[in-house]
Amino acid sequence: MTANRIAIEEHFWTPELRALRRGHDVLSDPELGRRLADLGAVRIAEMDEAGIDLQVISHVEPATQNFEPGEAVRLASAANDLLHQAIRSYPSRFAGFAALPTPDPEAAARELERAVTELGFKGAMVHGLTRGAFLDEKPFWPIFDTAQRLDVPIYLHPATPHADVIDAYYAGYPSMVRVGHGFTSEMSAAAIRLVLSEVFDVFPRVQIILGHLGEALPFLLPRVDRYVSRQMKKGRTFRDSIRQNFHFTTGGKFTHTALQCTIEEIGIERLMFAVDWPFHSNLDGSAFIETAPIGDDAKAMIFGSNARRLLRL
């Protein structure tokens, strides 16, 4: 079966990682917890209801980014093994992005290699900062080296911001900490840092995915490009890197004005369908593209063909 609708930011969690969530990361909604734990009937029924053929599943934030290195390695490997079993049970409906134990970058590179070459995963997802460090920092470069060699993308997903940022920016305003502002602010900063670093000079074929219609970068792109490109090497601008090394998804951002801005700034060929399940409805995600003021060919690219090309599905 050729998947016509491929959703690529769809989450699950393992019982062990769920039990280790603390503070802002705790989810209070038991229904969300039940659906995150499902890797079978509930998930597929909701996919069928919305006409979604395939989910590329990833562990929900913050995954293993904030543990001690040895613990992160064990937890990421176990999460990937559990997801692999689900994919084996439903190979025409599920694919996977690996959880990476980034507190140990060399081990994260090895786990990416194992997940892709042995488990058949399509790339990896990294959530927010790693114990306070941004992914562009040189200790993490073995991950990019491996991703480029294997020709798989890295999906950057938000997580609870750095504790010092929470204290300085959001004290007294808890609704801003995560989805209300912190997620977008920190992930757009992470993406800009990647471009300004030497990551894409050293690893020019690495591809990065950002969800939520690019974490506001399409709207900010003209202004950011004008100012930060001054810091970049001649011959490459910020806009160049966004259009050469980044792909955006629709997950969790279902507004047609934002969609149009994203298409105009980065191009239709770099935009892919996602729902951000179970935090958003598959029905809403599908209806968003179905009713978008774009042509049928553009809808087909977003719904499936762009993801099939990037992820080699």
Side-chain angles (χ1 to χ4, degrees):
M1 179 185 73
T2 299
N4 294 316
R5 293 191 183 184
I6 302 167
I8 74 166
E9 188 191 316
E10 321 310 320
H11 299 300
F12 84 110
W13 64 11
T14 67
E16 189 170 20
L17 278 167
R18 174 185 183 176
L20 292 170
R21 294 170 74 101
R22 298 288 185 272
H24 293 284
D25 293 332
V26 172
L27 294 183
S28 58
D29 185 344
E31 179 58 22
L32 280 178
R34 182 181 74 87
R35 293 159 82 204
L36 282 166
D38 180 87
L39 285 167
V42 171
R43 186 179 297 259
I44 289 174
E46 294 195 21
M47 291 167 62
D48 288 344
E49 187 180 21
I52 295 172
D53 301 299
L54 181 75
Q55 277 192 350
V56 183
I57 303 172
S58 51
H59 202 284
V60 71
E61 50 81 26
T64 60
Q65 267 58 84
N66 295 320
F67 295 102
E68 293 290 337
E71 186 76 342
V73 171
R74 182 183 68 80
L75 291 165
S77 177
N80 293 333
D81 287 344
L82 178 64
L83 179 54
H84 176 57
Q85 291 302 315
I87 295 168
R88 288 183 63 186
S89 297
Y90 303 97
S92 67
R93 306 305 304 273
F94 298 160
F97 284 133
L100 297 184
T102 51
D104 183 338
E106 294 286 351
R110 292 193 297 271
E111 182 62 13
L112 176 59
E113 176 119 23
R114 182 183 81 94
V116 172
T117 62
E118 298 180 23
L119 307 184
F121 283 18
K122 304 305 177 182
M125 181 175 283
V126 175
H127 297 275
L129 307 187
T130 293
R131 296 168 65 83
F134 282 91
L135 201 62
D136 62 90
E137 298 177 33
K138 286 192 175 180
F140 301 109
W141 283 20
I143 298 170
F144 297 118
D145 185 34
T146 302
Q148 177 168 273
R149 178 167 50 80
L150 297 174
D151 193 20
V152 294
I154 302 295
Y155 201 131
L156 298 186
H157 188 280
T160 299
H162 193 289
D164 290 346
V165 171
I166 294 174
D167 289 343
Y169 282 73
Y170 306 130
Y173 300 94
S175 64
M176 293 181 65
V177 170
R178 287 163 52 87
V179 180
H181 185 263
F183 276 6
T184 293
S185 177
E186 194 158 88
M187 270 302 94
S188 59
I192 294 169
R193 285 177 58 113
L194 271 175
V195 174
L196 289 177
S197 75
E198 295 180 351
V199 164
F200 299 122
D201 297 315
V202 178
F203 310 108
R205 299 191 310 279
V206 162
Q207 298 296 303
I208 303 296
I209 305 173
L210 291 176
H212 319 115
L213 290 179
E215 308 293 357
L217 281 178
F219 182 82
L220 299 171
L221 185 56
R223 185 176 178 87
V224 174
D225 179 63
R226 178 179 178 182
Y227 288 95
V228 307
S229 293
R230 300 170 184 173
Q231 187 181 327
M232 298 174 65
K233 292 182 178 179
K234 276 191 173 182
R236 181 166 68 92
T237 66
F238 181 79
R239 185 186 296 272
D240 291 336
S241 288
I242 291 296
R243 291 182 169 177
Q244 293 168 16
N245 298 100
F246 284 79
H247 304 258
F248 297 168
T249 79
T250 63
K253 190 75 174 288
F254 305 149
T255 58
H256 289 151
T257 50
L259 176 69
Q260 193 62 43
C261 175
T262 304
I263 292 171
E264 290 181 6
E265 291 295 343
I266 70 160
I268 190 70
E269 70 281 355
R270 288 186 168 263
L271 184 59
M272 295 175 287
F273 178 59
V275 175
D276 200 358
W277 190 91
F279 302 98
H280 294 271
S281 159
N282 285 333
L283 288 171
D284 290 345
S286 287
F288 168 58
I289 300 302
E290 289 167 356
T291 60
I294 56 178
D296 289 343
D297 288 346
K299 292 176 183 179
M301 292 175 74
I302 294 171
F303 265 136
S305 59
N306 289 341
R308 283 197 297 273
R309 183 181 65 252
L310 178 65
L311 305 182
R312 301 194 305 281
L313 290 164

